[in-house]
């Protein structure tokens, strides 16, 4: 290799290198650039006509500093290639990437030449600049949006006048963070396209889906312009926002019903004034969970259309069928508004409820009776006072099992009209004949009411019974617990007075009545304890309560009414 020293410069082949020779230095023919740091990614390189912001230290060959943007605490901002810079710097900046660092040597003829620059730069001075590029944009630039995550489902995109909630990290083009909604732990909530945002963000948010993530880059003309924001954003700064959209609605939006699963048949749909029991999962539009009835293991029970619910739910629950599943999407003005709930639901949040209707009824509802089978001979019909034996299967409206007499291998036995079962069952058993089968739907006010049965029947639950009449024994006339089947003896008191002591004790009274029943001369009301009936009859005759009946106390009910009963 040949080393040649000419006028103080060393040449090796055709490459120029900085090295001192003993001869005095002379000006370079062109600028010399050394790239001391090149970023891995370079989305854009400086071109003539671009506007740049950069930091620099300016030094003479001996290392003496003559100028520094760092010392002034602000970048140098200028157009490139428009003769706003010394020619050597105009050329040195071309091709630079943001965050790239260059050591630039500029000969005097491409700097301040023979004239120098006042007392700062002498004549024919070679200048060294350590340059760090922080920003580049062009007056023709617009907003650039790069989506790096798109959700699978996008039923709606941001349009002008929509209200959005989003999180963001805001940085300068060199990556310097100037703001973040994440650090404040709350979304940025605003209208889009009506001037509430800087122009670049107004444009950059358009077309986004809930859940989408995108990088929005904007020149200062669409950001904070030549003055910046007065604190963290310098003048003439490009801005980069990393945005995730969490929520989207329009003030004109109403309740939206989707994902309906309607059971068939649907015999009735809910109307205003109904009392409804339903399960739900509640989430925000981005899928964030906030509440669930399932987690509490009980339905949500309320009236519909009476203001007991948020407006959107009041509306969304109208027209549902029992067993239906649907998704109700509620804009904030029909939900919890601008304030939210202060805990799980933020202000101006769209709400999504996935609901399952368990049952509903109206306070005016009666028992719905459907006869599934009736024997050909069906003449004797159950009435008040009759002792009936029947089987049943009991469930809720959603099919949840409650109870069945078949599991016990025996019938359920009651006296109609004696308040031994819920009113709805009393109604459902009336006028049945033996062998008949019925399907009963009983509203809660005729069933177990608002309290239900702990561990068995939920509060305010509609009940479903499938019943079959097995046996029936006619009851006594209303108001009677014992009647005579034959003419009453004219000497009844004497017949009861077994020991002829002119008084009837309880044992004598009981023995006599039971004997009449056994002989078919009298009849006790079926379905009740015979002993209790007889005790009550004795008490009615023992008018002074001394434990015995005298002839003066003893009276037949016939003495007061036309019926033959004690």
């Amino acid at each position: 290799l040949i080393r040649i020293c000419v006028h103080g410069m060393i040449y090796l082949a055709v490459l120029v290198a900085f090295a001192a020779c003993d001869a005095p230095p002379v000006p370079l023919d062109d600028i010399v650039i050394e790239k001391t740091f090149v970023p891995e990614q370079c989305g854009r390189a400086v071109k003539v006509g671009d506007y740049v912001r950069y930091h620099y230290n300016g030094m003479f060959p001996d290392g003496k500093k003559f100028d520094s943007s760092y010392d002034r605490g602000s970048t140098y901002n200028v157009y490139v290639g428009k003769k706003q810079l010394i020619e050597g710097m105009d050329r040195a900046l071309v091709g630079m990437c943001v965050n790239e660092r260059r050591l630039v040597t500029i000969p005097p003829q491409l700097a301040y030449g023979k004239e120098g620059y006042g007392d700062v730069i002498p004549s024919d001075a070679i200048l060294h600049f350590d340059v760090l590029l922080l920003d580049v944009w062009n007056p023709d630039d617009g907003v650039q949006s790069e989506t790096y995550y798109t959700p699978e489902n996008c039923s709606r995109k941001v349009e002008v006048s929509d209200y959005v909630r989003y999180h963001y990290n805001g940085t300068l083009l060199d990556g310097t963070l100037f703001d973040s909604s994440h650090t404040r732990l709350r979304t940025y909530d605003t209208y889009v396209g009506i001037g509430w945002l800087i122009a670049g963000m107004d444009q950059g948010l358009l077309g986004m889906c809930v859940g989408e993530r995108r990088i929005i880059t904007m020149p200062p003309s669409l950001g904070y312009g030549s003055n910046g924001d007065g604190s963290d954003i310098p003048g003439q700064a490009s801005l980069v926002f990393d945005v995730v959209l969490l929520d989207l609605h329009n003030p004109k939006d109403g309740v939206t019903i989707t994902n309906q699963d309607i059971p068939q048949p649907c015999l009735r749909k809910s109307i205003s004034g109904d009392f409804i029991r339903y399960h739900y999962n509640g989430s925000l539009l981005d899928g964030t969970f906030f509440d669930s009835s399932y987690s509490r293991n009980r339905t949500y029970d309320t009236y519909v259309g009476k203001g007991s619910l948020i407006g959107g739910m009041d509306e969304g629950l109208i027209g549902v069928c029992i067993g239906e599943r649907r998704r109700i999407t509620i804009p904030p003005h029909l939900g919890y508004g601008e304030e939210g709930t202060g805990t799980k639901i933020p202000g101006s949040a769209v709400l999504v409820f996935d609901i399952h209707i368990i049952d509903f009824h109206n306070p005016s509802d009666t028992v719905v009776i459907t006869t599934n089978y009736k024997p050909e001979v069906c003449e004797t019909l159950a009435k008040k006072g009759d002792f009936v034996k029947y089987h049943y299967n009991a469930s809720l409206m959603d099919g949840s099992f409650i109870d069945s007499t078949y599991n016990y291998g025996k019938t359920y036995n009651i006296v109609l009209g004696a308040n031994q079962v819920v009113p709805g069952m009393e109604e459902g058993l009336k006028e049945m004949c033996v062998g008949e089968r019925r399907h009963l739907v009983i509203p809660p006010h005729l069933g177990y009411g608002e309290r239900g049965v702990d561990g068995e029947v939920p509060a305010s639950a509609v009940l479903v019974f499938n019943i079959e009449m097995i046996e029936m024994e006619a009851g006594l006339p209303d108001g009677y617990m014992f009647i005579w089947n034959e003419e009453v003896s004219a000497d009844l008191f004497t017949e009861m007075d077994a020991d002829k002591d002119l008084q009837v004790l309880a044992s004598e009274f009981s023995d006599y009545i039971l004997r009449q029943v056994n002989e078919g001369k009298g009849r006790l009301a079926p379905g009740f304890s015979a002993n209790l009936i007889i005790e009550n009859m004795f008490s009615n005759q023992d008018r002074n309560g001394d434990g015995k009946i005298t002839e003066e106390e003893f009276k037949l009910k016939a003495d007061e009414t036309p019926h033959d009963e004690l």
Side-chain angles (χ1 to χ4, degrees):
L1 295 177
I2 300 174
R3 293 167 57 87
I4 303 174
C5 182
V6 180
H7 300 298
M9 303 303 295
I10 296 176
Y11 289 81
L12 180 60
V14 295
L15 297 178
V16 179
F18 291 102
C21 293
D22 294 336
V26 296
L28 300 171
D29 292 333
D30 201 351
I31 62 173
V32 177
I33 296 173
E34 180 184 355
K35 298 180 180 181
T36 58
F37 178 77
V38 178
E40 291 183 4
Q41 296 181 346
C42 181
R44 176 174 182 173
V46 176
K47 297 183 295 185
V48 171
D50 284 345
Y51 193 93
V52 296
R53 294 190 310 109
Y54 63 93
H55 268 307
Y56 71 89
N57 282 314
M59 298 165 290
F60 295 118
D62 62 0
K64 181 181 178 181
K65 184 168 64 175
F66 64 81
D67 192 16
S68 172
S69 63
Y70 296 99
D71 294 344
R72 292 192 298 274
S74 64
T75 56
Y76 196 80
N77 310 335
V78 69
Y79 283 100
V80 176
K82 292 191 175 184
K83 297 184 178 181
Q84 296 180 0
L85 292 162
I86 58 176
E87 185 178 351
M89 187 61 80
D90 246 351
R91 292 163 60 181
L93 291 169
V94 173
M96 283 193 79
C97 304
V98 172
N99 286 326
E100 182 179 340
R101 192 164 186 169
R102 291 182 174 183
L103 291 178
V104 182
T105 300
I106 303 177
Q109 70 272 19
L110 298 178
Y112 293 97
K114 294 185 177 297
E115 296 182 0
Y117 187 78
D119 297 333
V120 178
I121 299 176
S123 174
D124 290 325
I126 296 174
L127 306 179
H128 296 277
F129 289 91
D130 184 352
V131 180
L132 174 62
L133 188 68
L134 300 180
D135 201 346
V136 56
W137 53 271
N138 193 281
D140 295 332
D141 287 348
V143 173
Q144 299 177 35
S145 296
E146 177 188 351
T147 296
Y148 64 93
Y149 175 77
T150 302
E152 292 184 5
N153 298 315
C154 181
S155 58
R156 177 173 177 177
K157 297 182 178 182
V158 176
E159 298 178 0
V160 171
S161 81
D162 282 343
Y163 193 90
V164 297
R165 296 192 309 111
Y166 62 93
H167 269 306
Y168 70 89
N169 286 320
T171 62
L172 304 180
L173 206 59
D174 67 336
T176 301
L177 181 72
F178 62 79
D179 192 18
S180 174
S181 62
H182 297 282
T183 60
R184 294 191 295 274
L185 299 178
R186 61 174 300 174
T187 55
Y188 195 83
D189 309 339
T190 185
Y191 286 98
V192 177
I194 63 172
W196 283 30
L197 292 162
I198 55 176
M201 189 61 83
D202 251 350
Q203 296 178 32
L205 291 170
L206 293 176
M208 285 193 78
C209 305
V210 171
E212 181 178 340
R213 296 174 180 268
R214 64 169 54 171
I215 303 294
I216 301 172
T217 305
M218 63 194 71
S221 59
L222 298 176
Y224 288 92
S226 58
N227 296 322
D229 70 345
S231 57
D232 297 315
I233 302 175
Q236 302 292 21
S238 300
L239 305 179
V240 180
F241 291 91
D242 188 342
V243 176
V244 54
L245 187 66
L246 300 183
D247 203 341
L248 159 66
H249 76 275
N250 194 282
K252 298 178 182 179
D253 287 348
V255 173
T256 303
I257 307 298
T258 55
N259 296 351
Q260 288 179 273
D261 181 7
I262 303 174
Q264 295 298 332
C266 177
L267 301 178
R268 174 181 166 186
K269 294 185 177 182
S270 61
I271 60 174
S272 181
D274 282 345
F275 191 88
I276 193 166
R277 296 173 56 243
Y278 64 96
H279 271 304
Y280 70 88
N281 284 318
S283 63
L284 304 181
L285 205 57
D286 67 337
T288 302
F289 170 85
F290 64 78
D291 193 20
S292 174
S293 62
Y294 296 99
S295 64
R296 294 188 293 274
N297 198 32
R298 61 172 297 175
T299 55
Y300 194 83
D301 309 338
T302 185
Y303 284 97
V304 178
K306 290 190 172 184
S308 302
L309 295 161
I310 55 175
M313 189 61 84
D314 240 357
E315 181 180 339
L317 290 172
I318 297 295
V320 296
C321 304
I322 291 174
E324 180 176 341
R325 297 176 185 269
R326 63 167 51 175
R327 172 169 288 184
I328 303 173
T329 303
I330 302 173
H333 53 274
L334 296 175
Y336 291 97
E338 296 180 3
E339 300 299 322
T341 62
T343 53
K344 296 182 179 180
I345 301 176
S348 300
V350 176
L351 308 178
V352 179
F353 290 93
D354 288 305
I355 66 166
H356 180 205
I357 306 301
I358 303 302
D359 67 32
F360 60 81
H361 71 280
N362 196 280
S364 62
D365 284 350
T366 58
V367 179
V368 178
I369 301 173
T370 304
T371 298
N372 296 330
Y373 172 77
K374 181 177 288 190
E376 291 184 6
V377 178
C378 185
E379 297 176 353
T380 303
L381 305 180
K383 63 184 184 305
K384 183 178 180 181
D386 287 351
F387 182 57
V388 297
K389 298 180 180 181
Y390 63 97
H391 273 303
Y392 69 81
N393 287 315
S395 65
L396 302 179
M397 286 294 285
D398 65 348
S400 298
F401 174 80
I402 296 177
D403 195 16
S404 174
T405 55
Y406 296 100
N407 290 347
Y408 310 119
K410 60 181 182 179
T411 57
Y412 199 78
N413 309 328
I414 67 161
V415 176
L416 274 179
N419 298 321
Q420 294 174 349
V421 289
V422 295
M425 182 59 79
E426 289 263 18
E427 187 68 25
L429 289 166
K430 287 180 181 177
E431 299 184 355
M432 281 189 81
C433 60
V434 172
E436 184 175 347
R437 293 192 292 270
R438 288 181 175 181
H439 178 82
L440 311 180
V441 179
I442 301 176
H445 52 275
L446 297 175
Y448 292 100
E450 296 180 3
R451 303 186 68 175
V453 178
D454 189 31
E456 296 182 38
V457 180
S460 300
V462 178
L463 305 176
V464 178
F465 284 90
N466 286 301
I467 61 175
E468 180 181 5
M469 185 73 75
I470 304 300
E471 292 183 29
M472 182 193 313
E473 183 180 347
L476 302 187
D478 192 19
Y480 289 83
M481 298 301 288
F482 173 84
I483 60 172
W484 294 98
N485 293 330
E486 299 179 354
E487 291 294 327
V488 182
S489 170
D491 199 13
L492 186 58
F493 181 80
T494 301
E495 292 180 7
M496 286 185 180
D497 184 14
D499 59 5
K500 307 305 177 184
D501 61 352
L502 301 180
Q503 57 185 14
V504 175
L505 300 179
S507 58
E508 292 175 307
F509 185 88
S510 178
D511 289 344
Y512 182 80
I513 296 298
L514 289 174
R515 187 166 62 254
Q516 306 310 304
V517 171
N518 291 334
E519 294 175 358
K521 298 178 180 179
R523 185 164 170 248
L524 292 168
F528 297 97
S529 167
N531 290 334
L532 289 177
I533 294 176
I534 294 171
E535 286 178 12
N536 186 56
M537 292 170 64
F538 180 83
S539 295
N540 290 337
Q541 295 296 322
D542 182 14
R543 302 180 191 280
N544 62 7
D546 62 356
K548 55 192 176 187
I549 303 171
T550 63
E551 191 168 5
E552 288 75 18
E553 290 177 305
F554 184 76
K555 288 183 181 180
L556 289 174
K557 197 166 185 178
D559 297 335
E560 303 169 0
T561 69
H563 299 289
D564 293 330
E565 185 196 1
L566 289 174

